[in-house]
Amino acid sequence: MIFHEYLTTPKTTEQLVNIAKEHGLNWNEDQVKLYSLLDPSIYETESGQWAVKVDGRRHTILEAIENALEKRPMTKIDPNIIEQLPRDMIVPHNEVIEVAVSTGRYESPRENIIRVKRK
């Protein structure tokens, strides 16, 4: 979802409403709160702001995808993305695809390909 990339730093509900509107979603504060409460990776801080839980494994996989796609519109998972991962990290292809697709920026037209999503 669009909020994840913005919630690496905590945001207020009002800020999330504005972000949603920038992305064409006409959500009010209650809808943003509901979405945030239902998303298991988003949590409310003690100060009442929203943030995303940092998942080290997911972050490492996403970084490998971004490095492999640096100047290309598409790349192979194996070897291009797998080579970017730490040697002691075993990641199946379907997990790489799941992480890539979950960002909303990438798609996987075939089992071993990740590409930048066409608009």
Side-chain angles (χ1 to χ4, degrees):
M1 176 60 186
I2 58 168
F3 293 153
H4 287 232
E5 63 188 77
Y6 294 98
L7 288 175
T8 54
T9 57
K11 302 279 186 275
T12 64
T13 303
E14 186 178 322
Q15 289 172 313
L16 290 180
V17 168
N18 290 333
I19 290 168
K21 287 184 184 194
E22 289 172 6
H23 285 84
L25 300 172
N26 194 21
W27 289 2
N28 62 34
E29 285 190 15
D30 289 334
Q31 290 168 312
V32 168
K33 283 181 188 177
L34 179 62
Y35 177 85
S36 300
L37 288 170
L38 292 175
D39 188 323
S41 63
I42 297 176
Y43 68 97
E44 190 171 8
T45 65
E46 290 179 14
S47 63
Q49 294 183 320
W50 300 98
V52 69
K53 295 175 187 171
V54 177
D55 180 354
R57 181 177 176 88
R58 185 179 189 285
H59 179 73
T60 302
I61 294 169
L62 191 53
E63 202 170 79
I65 293 167
E66 290 169 354
N67 288 338
L69 282 167
E70 197 167 18
K71 294 178 183 166
R72 304 178 220 162
M74 80 172 61
T75 189
K76 289 183 178 182
I77 294 173
D78 191 13
N80 301 345
I81 295 173
I82 300 299
E83 286 179 356
Q84 303 285 329
L85 297 169
R87 297 213 184 278
D88 62 340
M89 189 174 183
I90 299 170
V91 180
H93 285 203
N94 63 342
E95 186 176 359
V96 173
I97 292 168
E98 180 184 322
V99 168
V101 171
S102 73
T103 67
R105 296 184 306 234
Y106 307 112
E107 60 188 2
S108 180
R110 293 190 307 259
E111 286 181 16
N112 195 37
I113 300 289
I114 298 289
R115 72 177 176 204
V116 176
K117 197 172 198 176
R118 297 177 182 173
K119 294 185 180 196

